[in-house]
Coordinates of all heavy atoms in Angstrom, one line a residue:
Chain B
T2 N -1.7 0.1 -59.1 CA -3.0 0.0 -59.6 C -3.6 -1.4 -59.4 O -2.9 -2.4 -59.5 CB -3.1 0.2 -61.2 OG1 -2.1 -0.7 -61.7 CG2 -2.8 1.6 -61.5
I3 N -4.8 -1.5 -58.9 CA -5.4 -2.8 -58.6 C -6.6 -2.9 -59.6 O -7.5 -2.0 -59.6 CB -5.9 -2.8 -57.2 CG1 -4.7 -2.6 -56.2 CG2 -6.6 -4.2 -56.9 CD1 -5.2 -2.5 -54.8
N4 N -6.6 -3.9 -60.4 CA -7.7 -4.1 -61.3 C -8.8 -4.9 -60.5 O -8.6 -6.0 -60.2 CB -7.2 -4.9 -62.5 CG -8.4 -5.0 -63.5 OD1 -9.5 -5.2 -63.1 ND2 -8.0 -5.0 -64.8
Q5 N -9.9 -4.3 -60.2 CA -10.9 -4.9 -59.5 C -12.1 -5.3 -60.3 O -13.1 -5.8 -59.9 CB -11.4 -4.1 -58.3 CG -10.3 -3.8 -57.3 CD -10.6 -2.8 -56.3 OE1 -11.4 -1.8 -56.6 NE2 -10.1 -2.9 -55.1
S6 N -12.0 -5.0 -61.6 CA -13.2 -5.2 -62.4 C -13.2 -6.5 -63.2 O -14.3 -6.9 -63.7 CB -13.3 -4.0 -63.4 OG -12.2 -4.0 -64.2
G7 N -12.2 -7.2 -63.3 CA -12.2 -8.5 -64.1 C -10.9 -9.2 -64.1 O -10.0 -8.8 -63.4
W8 N -10.9 -10.2 -64.9 CA -9.7 -11.1 -64.9 C -8.7 -10.8 -66.0 O -7.8 -11.5 -66.2 CB -10.2 -12.6 -65.0 CG -10.7 -13.1 -63.7 CD1 -11.9 -13.3 -63.4 CD2 -9.9 -13.4 -62.6 NE1 -12.0 -13.8 -62.1 CE2 -10.8 -13.9 -61.6 CE3 -8.5 -13.4 -62.3 CZ2 -10.3 -14.3 -60.3 CZ3 -8.1 -13.8 -61.1 CH2 -9.0 -14.2 -60.1
K9 N -8.9 -9.7 -66.7 CA -7.9 -9.4 -67.7 C -7.3 -8.1 -67.5 O -7.5 -7.1 -68.1 CB -8.6 -9.4 -69.1 CG -9.1 -10.8 -69.5 CD -9.6 -10.9 -70.9 CE -10.0 -12.3 -71.2 NZ -10.9 -12.4 -72.4
P10 N -6.4 -8.0 -66.5 CA -5.7 -6.8 -66.2 C -4.7 -6.4 -67.3 O -4.3 -7.3 -68.0 CB -5.0 -7.1 -64.9 CG -4.7 -8.6 -65.0 CD -5.9 -9.2 -65.7
T11 N -4.4 -5.2 -67.3 CA -3.3 -4.7 -68.1 C -2.0 -5.2 -67.4 O -1.8 -4.8 -66.2 CB -3.3 -3.2 -68.3 OG1 -4.6 -2.8 -68.7 CG2 -2.2 -2.8 -69.3
S12 N -1.3 -6.0 -68.0 CA -0.1 -6.5 -67.2 C 0.8 -5.4 -66.9 O 1.1 -4.5 -67.7 CB 0.7 -7.5 -68.1 OG -0.1 -8.6 -68.3
P13 N 1.3 -5.3 -65.7 CA 2.3 -4.3 -65.3 C 3.5 -4.4 -66.3 O 3.9 -5.5 -66.6 CB 2.7 -4.6 -63.9 CG 1.5 -5.5 -63.4 CD 1.0 -6.2 -64.5
E14 N 4.0 -3.3 -66.7 CA 5.1 -3.3 -67.6 C 6.4 -3.6 -66.9 O 6.6 -3.1 -65.8 CB 5.3 -1.9 -68.3 CG 4.3 -1.8 -69.5 CD 4.4 -0.4 -70.1 OE1 5.6 0.1 -70.3 OE2 3.4 0.2 -70.4
A22 N 4.0 -4.2 -59.6 CA 2.9 -4.3 -58.6 C 2.2 -5.6 -58.9 O 2.2 -6.2 -59.9 CB 2.0 -3.1 -58.8
T23 N 1.5 -6.1 -57.8 CA 0.7 -7.3 -58.0 C -0.8 -6.9 -58.4 O -1.2 -5.8 -58.1 CB 0.6 -8.1 -56.7 OG1 0.2 -7.3 -55.7 CG2 2.0 -8.6 -56.4
F24 N -1.5 -7.8 -59.0 CA -2.8 -7.6 -59.4 C -3.7 -7.3 -58.2 O -4.6 -6.5 -58.3 CB -3.3 -8.9 -60.1 CG -4.7 -9.0 -60.4 CD1 -5.3 -8.2 -61.4 CD2 -5.5 -9.9 -59.7 CE1 -6.7 -8.3 -61.6 CE2 -6.9 -10.0 -59.9 CZ -7.5 -9.2 -60.9
T25 N -3.5 -8.0 -57.1 CA -4.4 -7.9 -55.9 C -4.0 -6.8 -55.0 O -4.8 -6.4 -54.1 CB -4.3 -9.2 -55.1 OG1 -2.9 -9.5 -54.9 CG2 -4.9 -10.4 -55.8
G26 N -2.8 -6.3 -55.1 CA -2.3 -5.4 -54.1 C -1.6 -6.2 -53.0 O -1.0 -5.6 -52.1

Side-chain angles (χ1 to χ4, degrees):
Chain B
T2 51
I3 304 172
N4 184 325
Q5 294 170 329
S6 58
W8 282 106
K9 291 186 177 162
T11 309
S12 293
E14 279 178 43
T23 56
F24 168 73
T25 52

